[in-house]
Amino acid sequence: MRNTRTLSTSVVVAACCLMALNSCGITRTTEYKLTNTTIDTLVVEESNNAPGENRGVVFPSSTSETRTRIVQQYDSLFVREYPDFIRYGLVEYAGFAATGGGDNPLAPGLFGVYEMFGFDLPGQDEESAVFTGGLTRYGILEYRLRWFQDAANWSIGTYLYEEICKDAATENTLGAVLPIYIKKRYFLRDDIPYITVSPYFGFGMYPSVYGNLGVSLDVGSLSGLNFRAYAGYAMGTNPVYSPFVRDNRNAEWEIESTQPSIPYIGLGVSFLDFHNHPRETEEQWHEHVHSGWQIGFLNVALVNAGVEKGLFELTDGESAPVSGLIAHMLPVKVALPYLNKRLYAGTSLFSLHALGLQEWGMSVLPVRLGYWHTLLPDELTVEPFIEYGYYPSSMFTVGSRVNLFLTRMFNVGLIGGFTTGSSPLDFDDRLIDELGLPDSFSTGFFGLHIGVSDRIFFQVDGMEQ
């Protein structure tokens, strides 16, 4: 038995995938070379003598006219940039039921991300697990596939890595580097958030050889946040050279190939996962609408919580001015259709509130509600918020944050608030050795936050100026 994903490996792999995806071509550029011609004519009329008179008849004066034609030409280059992808994403997780792995369930919980902390959810332990298997995908790319005389909504794509788990046993897992998938989308809703039914077929060659046939119901993309329901069937082979087989065998045992067969239904979630309607690939980047206020990779706040013993100490043993930190990985804040779309709902893949050696907790997919207000256009915003984390720690936070825009990928600001919570005592011993034994806590905090690869926006589609 083994846990396919841990928190640390997910962070490292996601960071590597983000760097790899940034090097991929996702923009189509069209250059227009234009020749500008300006033609002008200057007309000059000149009177050569004064008009005269002869026997009462007035004769006009003699004039001359000079015409000068001026022609100016210069070349210019006009560049238009369009998105060149149907789907471009970082991570996708899913929890699968009905996989046939009930004797040794993975128990990843709803959306497939809860087992990163190594805890059993209520109703999801080995004896009564509903979600017995799961799905992990990192580094998502899909491009338009012009089959059947350029029929609409076909795509071909791959993942940097895909893993489909029947249960917690490694030999019952199918996974591949750069599998190939072909997909057809049927749009049930043509506006954001898009709702599509997507039949797909894919195959992988290493370390497993397998095929995967299924259909998904996709809802998104809301600032890169998507939710999915799946139904399908994956079947293949783990050859003797596959690490799924070799890494799970004692040296004295005979190494044999395995043939996992994985029917599945389930629910999933993905972050930093952007979808384009085919018509959007013909719209320039600056014409695309925004559905959220923030899309980020990592946000870290260094805070002073006034606790008895902080995480950091000075060389003389005294407590440092900074007692702890608050971190959110893959935060997203989606605009709601209320209060001029400034009311938002948000979440993140996980959050860490480590305010002191005993005042700390972690949460998967915390729920956040806040209000986004612009203080200075294109520069400064403030957002009062409430956040509730329910697993594995129970935490409730009320606070406010000020964001100062620096670049398109970085921002800094101030954060303050009050948080209360409690954590289970069966955290991994390595976490307890690093942070301390968790306890119930209620404390205020104030500090400086830094957003890494963290985009903030000052307007969303349909918002009044």
Side-chain angles (χ1 to χ4, degrees):
M1 181 186 299
R2 65 92 172 87
N3 200 5
T4 57
R5 292 189 296 273
T6 63
L7 184 60
S8 58
T9 56
S10 292
V11 173
V12 173
V13 173
C16 294
C17 289
L18 183 64
M19 291 186 290
L21 288 173
N22 284 337
S23 64
C24 298
I26 61 171
T27 299
R28 183 181 78 257
T29 301
T30 303
E31 295 183 351
Y32 296 87
K33 296 181 179 180
L34 306 176
T35 299
N36 298 274
T37 302
T38 302
I39 301 177
D40 194 11
T41 302
L42 178 63
V43 179
V44 179
E45 291 186 355
E46 183 178 1
S47 298
N48 297 320
N49 59 283
E53 182 178 344
N54 185 7
R55 295 181 181 181
V57 178
V58 178
F59 294 94
S61 62
S62 60
T63 61
S64 62
E65 182 181 278
T66 303
R67 290 177 175 267
T68 304
R69 190 179 186 190
I70 303 173
V71 179
Q72 291 182 331
Q73 282 190 332
Y74 59 92
D75 294 333
S76 64
L77 182 64
F78 183 70
V79 179
R80 292 181 175 178
E81 295 183 337
Y82 304 86
D84 196 30
F85 62 90
I86 295 297
R87 186 182 176 194
Y88 173 79
L90 183 63
V91 293
E92 178 182 353
Y93 299 118
F96 286 161
T99 62
D103 295 335
N104 187 20
L106 179 64
L110 190 69
F111 304 127
V113 295
Y114 296 99
E115 95 284 3
M116 286 194 302
F117 289 94
F119 290 93
D120 292 326
L121 283 170
Q124 293 296 301
D125 54 24
E126 295 184 3
E127 290 75 23
S128 58
V130 175
F131 296 96
T132 54
L135 168 74
T136 308
R137 285 169 175 163
Y138 295 107
I140 304 161
L141 280 173
E142 290 184 22
Y143 295 95
R144 189 170 179 179
L145 181 60
R146 300 182 180 274
W147 276 4
F148 310 117
Q149 297 182 338
D150 202 13
N153 302 325
W154 284 88
S155 67
I156 184 170
T158 188
Y159 312 103
L160 293 182
Y161 180 71
E162 175 187 61
E163 189 172 279
I164 305 171
C165 304
K166 179 178 183 178
D167 52 31
T170 306
E171 60 269 23
N172 291 332
T173 297
L174 294 171
V177 177
L178 300 178
I180 302 299
Y181 274 81
I182 293 175
K183 182 180 294 184
K184 169 71 173 180
R185 287 182 173 83
Y186 297 93
F187 282 83
L188 304 182
R189 176 183 166 88
D190 253 356
D191 298 318
I192 296 176
Y194 299 127
I195 302 177
T196 62
V197 175
S198 306
Y200 57 83
F201 170 74
F203 63 91
M205 299 301 295
Y206 180 83
S208 304
V209 180
Y210 65 94
N212 183 20
L213 177 66
V215 62
S216 65
L217 175 66
D218 309 331
V219 180
S221 156
L222 293 167
S223 297
L225 179 66
N226 300 265
F227 297 94
R228 293 181 178 82
Y230 306 79
Y233 182 73
M235 181 176 64
T237 298
N238 286 315
V240 292
Y241 56 78
S242 172
F244 289 137
V245 175
R246 301 184 68 89
D247 292 351
N248 204 45
R249 289 290 186 266
N250 187 288
E252 299 178 357
W253 297 352
E254 181 181 357
I255 299 177
E256 297 179 352
S257 63
T258 60
Q259 292 77 38
S261 176
I262 311 175
Y264 59 85
I265 58 173
L267 297 173
V269 64
S270 60
F271 288 84
L272 287 181
D273 185 8
F274 305 97
H275 292 240
N276 280 325
H277 194 288
R279 68 168 180 269
E280 291 181 303
T281 61
E282 304 300 327
E283 299 175 359
Q284 297 185 67
W285 274 117
H286 67 84
E287 297 174 334
H288 281 234
V289 302
H290 300 299
S291 57
W293 293 109
Q294 180 186 20
I295 308 170
F297 177 73
L298 182 64
N299 195 281
V300 178
L302 301 176
V303 299
N304 189 323
V307 296
E308 181 177 348
K309 192 170 183 59
L311 296 181
F312 311 107
E313 292 184 353
L314 301 176
T315 54
D316 57 4
E318 295 184 359
S319 297
V322 174
S323 65
L325 59 88
I326 298 174
H328 290 80
M329 184 181 180
L330 305 184
V332 57
K333 297 167 185 176
V334 180
L336 298 177
Y338 306 103
L339 301 178
N340 199 21
K341 294 191 176 181
R342 293 190 179 276
L343 187 69
Y344 72 79
T347 187
S348 54
L349 180 60
F350 81 92
S351 68
L352 167 66
H353 287 62
L355 307 177
L357 284 179
Q358 289 186 305
E359 298 82 5
W360 64 273
M362 293 181 172
S363 179
V364 180
L365 301 181
V367 180
R368 191 181 185 108
L369 185 67
Y371 181 82
W372 192 276
H373 180 67
T374 300
L375 296 176
L376 295 175
D378 300 330
E379 294 177 9
L380 195 66
T381 64
V382 62
E383 48 164 323
F385 66 88
I386 58 175
E387 181 176 288
Y388 174 60
Y390 49 89
Y391 173 83
S393 302
S394 176
M395 297 183 296
F396 183 80
T397 303
V398 178
S400 184
R401 198 174 85 157
V402 177
N403 305 298
L404 176 63
F405 176 85
L406 293 181
T407 71
R408 295 184 62 182
M409 303 304 291
F410 294 93
N411 63 76
V412 298
L414 300 175
I415 186 172
F418 182 86
T419 185
T420 179
S422 61
S423 296
L425 297 180
D426 54 344
F427 267 113
D428 189 288
D429 289 339
R430 291 170 296 179
L431 281 174
I432 295 178
D433 292 340
E434 184 72 22
L435 298 176
L437 187 66
D439 195 5
S440 299
F441 61 92
S442 295
T443 181
F445 60 87
F446 181 81
L448 172 72
H449 76 81
I450 302 172
V452 181
S453 291
D454 197 17
R455 285 287 302 273
I456 60 176
F457 300 94
F458 294 87
Q459 181 179 345
V460 296
D461 179 44
M463 190 189 74
E464 297 178 3
Q465 295 288 344

